[in-house]
Amino acid sequence: MDLVFDRVNKRYEHREALSDLSFEMRSGEMAFLTGHSGAGKSTLLRLLLLLDRASSGEVSVGGRPLSKVKESRIAKYRQDFGVVFQDHKLLADRSVYHNVALPLEIAGFTKRDIDRRVRAALDKVGLLDRERAAPDALSGGEQQRIGIARAVVARPKILIADEPTGNLDPQLSAEIMGLFSAFNSVGVTVIVASHDLALISRMSQRILTLDRGRLITLGGVSRGINE
Amino acid sequence: MSNSQTTTAGIGAGPRSALSAWAHHHRQAALISVDKLLREPIASFLTVLVIGVALAVPSLGLSLAATVQGEISQIDAPPQLSVLLGQDASLEDADKLRTEILRKPGIADVKVVDRDSALADFVSATGLESLVQKLNRNPLPHTLWVYPSANTRLAGIEQLQVDLGSLAGVSQVILDSRWLERLNAFTDLLRTIAMVLGVVMSVGVVLTLGNTLRLGIEARRDEIVVIKLIGGGNAFARRPFLYTGLLSGALGGVFGGLLSGAALLMLDGPVKRLFDLYDQAPSVPSLILSELLVLISIGAILGLISAWYSVQLHLTRIKPR
Ligand SMILES: Nc1ncnc2c1ncn2[C@@H]1O[C@H](COP(=O)(O)OP(=O)(O)OP(=O)(O)O)[C@@H](O)[C@H]1O
Ligand SMILES: [Mg+2]
């Protein structure tokens, strides 16, 4: 699904979080979103998830203008997305398995399909052997991988992550970013917000840099310093 | 476990049909709500107890009112009127009065009871012969027993009582249905109180259960936020709470039924004694299945209303950020 931001503004009471923001992403593309703290990265992702609405301008997803999505249709709209949060947002009173199964339950999959998909997703993040564990019993990196499994288990068209490596050491962070690239390589559109420049400049994907709500690089593919 | 509703089994199997997904969600939500109730057995039991008592009290009142009123309607109505004549009235006067009363509308029969046979009856009924012998004269007047026709209502009989009392030679008219009237009024009052209590307690159930559910919603705020973030709507998030309300209400109905059943059993004796005084031999019905089902349904409906109100007020307001 293509993403189009067309002269988008987002104003909060005193400040403008996003100003005159225009860019496009093709279906199946991957991009990093970077910029200083308060630059507007989370705001941009929130508009995409309809957690908030643009003050002016239009965001379109798959050709559909989001200003036309009714409040009552937002839940359904979000089912096209997989979301990874910095704080994982795993539910403490469910096992790893049932955390990952949640999006499938919402979408109404059969028990058998849920079982197969949850195992496949856990296998992809390398944690199949922890399916019975409680999230609290896992390390931060493991929890984040469970969060990723939950984000991809329903095969979303777009994968969104806001600071997914915020609390992780460099090696784990690189592993997580590798997972995102892998999902992108099977056709999922991926947007990852991160201010870990050292990490993302080593990746080969496009980088969108925000500065005080404005887009300053429309960087195509970054140069790949380390190659 | 294979599922008969599985439609596609391939690698790319998508969500099942909307209807089957809906049914599955409901089954799932019902199971979650049972699980929730069992996880906090004491709190759940207290909630069910409160609902049970709230349902038992009005139901008991209505049952009693219905029983008593049913008995009253079976008593051979209408009752008779005893028309006491003056001490100086002769038997001929009594006969004349009898003919006069018989001409009035709504009278089935009039019987003359002369003072001597009345005294004899009194003696044989009470065994107070020695006392009567000490009297130097018969204290009883001649009496007419007036039987209103069977379809006369109580109000009509009261009017008749007034009419008869104004006839010349009549000293007093006794209507021996006062107790009936009082009982009737009492059961009416009982029924009204039961219904008012029913309404008040229903509101109480909705508010308390609604509040319990609000606490449940608050406790699960994180979960609700996550569900909404990953594409679950209000319908999905609220379903377990609706089932919790439904289930608590229905269990409250069962409990209320048991309570009022037990109370009716205990009241059986006293009510029987009351009616035995009037040659009636009723029994307070033990709680029957249909009444239990009604209580369960009312409980379930109240539970659902509480849950709906609580969810609309609290769960739909939770917006992920
Ligand atoms: N709900 C809100 N109300 C008012 N101001 C807000 C709100 N959300 C964000 N802002 C402001 O908008 C600006 C952009 O915030 P945003 O969270 O998008 O930044 P960010 O790039 O994600 O920063 P960080 O790297 O620290 O997460 C900030 O100045 C922030 O204070
Ligand atoms: Mg942010």
Side-chain angles (χ1 to χ4, degrees):
Chain A
M1 289 217 273
D2 292 349
L3 305 180
V4 180
F5 276 68
D6 183 19
R7 287 191 260 164
V8 171
N9 283 277
K10 179 63 193 176
R11 265 181 305 279
Y12 290 113
E13 261 155 58
H14 301 295
R15 54 175 74 237
E16 193 154 70
L18 295 174
S19 311
D20 200 32
L21 188 77
S22 298
F23 74 95
E24 290 184 24
M25 272 182 77
R26 289 283 148 67
S27 189
E29 202 180 342
M30 175 163 172
F32 287 103
L33 193 59
T34 190
H36 61 91
S37 179
K41 305 181 291 293
S42 298
T43 303
L44 188 155
L45 298 183
R46 286 161 44 73
L47 293 187
L48 213 44
L49 283 170
L50 276 176
L51 289 167
D52 225 327
R53 294 192 185 254
S55 309
S56 67
E58 183 72 276
V59 181
S60 306
V61 174
R64 182 184 189 189
L66 297 195
S67 59
K68 296 278 185 314
V69 178
K70 279 194 239 136
E71 209 65 25
S72 60
R73 306 296 301 170
I74 288 180
K76 188 84 192 144
Y77 164 81
R78 285 192 193 130
Q79 289 181 13
D80 282 338
F81 290 82
V83 190
V84 178
F85 308 92
Q86 178 171 355
D87 57 353
H88 333 302
K89 294 203 193 301
L90 299 177
L91 300 177
D93 61 350
R94 298 182 187 215
S95 66
V96 161
Y97 179 96
H98 284 106
N99 266 282
V100 177
L102 190 57
L104 300 174
E105 282 168 8
I106 291 171
F109 282 81
T110 62
K111 216 174 163 179
R112 216 173 69 187
D113 285 341
I114 288 178
D115 201 53
R116 201 182 49 236
R117 287 189 178 218
V118 168
R119 282 158 197 280
L122 284 174
D123 193 32
K124 259 180 230 159
V125 298
L127 287 171
L128 188 50
D129 56 329
R130 306 307 304 273
E131 63 176 351
R132 305 250 157 268
D136 287 346
L138 304 181
S139 74
E142 286 169 333
Q143 289 183 16
Q144 192 55 295
R145 271 140 70 197
I146 299 302
I148 293 171
R150 182 182 65 189
V152 299
V153 73
R155 311 225 174 105
K157 301 195 172 83
I158 302 172
L159 185 58
I160 286 179
D162 195 355
E163 305 285 0
T165 61
N167 299 324
L168 304 179
D169 66 45
Q171 201 206 313
L172 267 176
S173 302
E175 260 175 49
I176 299 280
M177 292 303 184
L179 273 174
F180 287 128
S181 295
F183 287 115
N184 175 242
S185 66
V186 298
V188 183
T189 308
V190 180
I191 310 179
V192 179
S194 170
H195 46 218
D196 190 347
L197 268 173
L199 178 62
I200 62 182
S201 57
R202 269 190 277 127
M203 311 282 295
S204 57
Q205 280 86 7
R206 176 180 174 188
I207 298 175
L208 299 166
T209 306
L210 284 172
D211 181 49
R212 274 162 289 177
R214 292 177 185 277
L215 203 54
I216 54 171
T217 54
L218 258 181
V221 173
S222 71
R223 286 142 291 141
I225 303 168
N226 285 6
E227 262 93 24
Chain B
M1 283 258 291
S2 86
N3 190 318
S4 60
Q5 283 159 328
T6 306
T7 45
T8 41
I11 294 294
R16 54 180 113 194
S17 78
L19 188 66
S20 117
W22 180 82
H24 178 74
H25 278 162
H26 274 272
R27 213 164 42 234
Q28 205 73 7
L31 288 177
I32 292 175
S33 72
V34 171
D35 183 59
K36 264 190 222 167
L37 285 183
L38 293 181
R39 266 192 218 190
E40 288 172 28
I42 294 175
S44 308
F45 178 71
L46 286 179
T47 308
V48 167
L49 190 78
V50 167
I51 299 170
V53 170
L55 290 173
V57 169
S59 126
L60 192 60
L62 288 179
S63 284
L64 273 184
T67 306
V68 172
Q69 214 127 42
E71 289 312 322
I72 290 172
S73 71
Q74 277 172 33
I75 290 172
D76 292 330
Q80 68 173 42
L81 294 144
S82 303
V83 179
L84 310 183
L85 306 187
Q87 278 293 343
D88 50 344
S90 66
L91 208 53
E92 291 86 70
D93 293 336
D95 272 330
K96 247 188 271 165
L97 216 51
R98 174 177 180 270
T99 335
E100 190 180 342
I101 295 172
L102 267 175
R103 276 202 297 269
K104 286 177 173 289
I107 304 295
D109 195 13
V110 181
K111 233 161 98 185
V112 177
V113 181
D114 78 79
R115 56 203 308 176
D116 299 328
S117 59
L119 190 64
D121 279 351
F122 177 76
V123 168
S124 72
T126 59
L128 295 174
E129 202 170 349
S130 55
L131 176 82
V132 170
Q133 273 165 356
K134 281 188 195 127
L135 300 168
N136 43 22
R137 61 181 198 94
N138 184 349
L140 299 176
H142 294 302
T143 305
L144 299 178
W145 287 356
V146 177
Y147 300 93
S149 43
N151 55 2
T152 314
R153 308 203 140 268
L154 206 54
I157 294 174
E158 285 181 332
Q159 185 54 48
L160 192 61
Q161 183 186 17
V162 174
D163 291 351
L164 294 179
S166 64
L167 291 175
V170 173
S171 78
Q172 201 184 353
V173 181
I174 297 168
L175 172 61
D176 58 2
S177 70
R178 273 287 155 80
W179 71 274
L180 265 185
E181 215 179 327
R182 294 218 180 99
L183 203 53
N184 233 329
F186 174 72
T187 50
D188 274 345
L189 181 67
L190 187 63
R191 189 182 305 112
T192 310
I193 290 175
M195 289 199 286
V196 170
L197 271 183
V199 171
V200 170
M201 294 205 157
S202 298
V203 172
V205 165
V206 169
L207 293 179
T208 32
L209 185 53
N211 192 50
T212 306
L213 288 166
R214 177 185 67 83
L215 295 177
I217 290 170
E218 284 310 320
R220 307 211 143 232
R221 172 175 279 274
D222 290 347
E223 176 177 337
I224 294 164
V225 165
V226 169
I227 284 173
K228 290 188 175 187
L229 274 173
I230 65 180
N234 282 323
F236 183 86
R238 78 182 161 220
R239 224 166 269 143
F241 295 99
L242 295 185
Y243 271 99
T244 303
L246 188 80
L247 203 65
S248 310
L251 287 176
V254 172
F255 199 78
L258 294 180
L259 273 182
S260 71
L264 284 175
L265 266 181
M266 290 192 286
L267 283 170
D268 190 44
V271 171
K272 233 180 202 144
R273 246 172 285 135
L274 172 69
F275 279 97
D276 275 348
L277 296 177
Y278 298 94
D279 290 337
Q280 298 284 320
S283 64
V284 176
S286 46
L287 191 79
I288 47 175
L289 189 66
S290 66
E291 283 171 6
L292 187 62
L293 289 181
V294 168
L295 275 183
I296 294 175
S297 315
I298 292 178
I301 290 168
L302 284 180
L304 199 56
I305 293 174
S306 326
W308 190 263
Y309 131 90
S310 192
V311 154
Q312 287 308 107
L313 225 55
H314 307 292
L315 186 143
T316 45
R317 285 207 191 141
I318 296 179
K319 292 251 153 64
R321 283 205 29 92

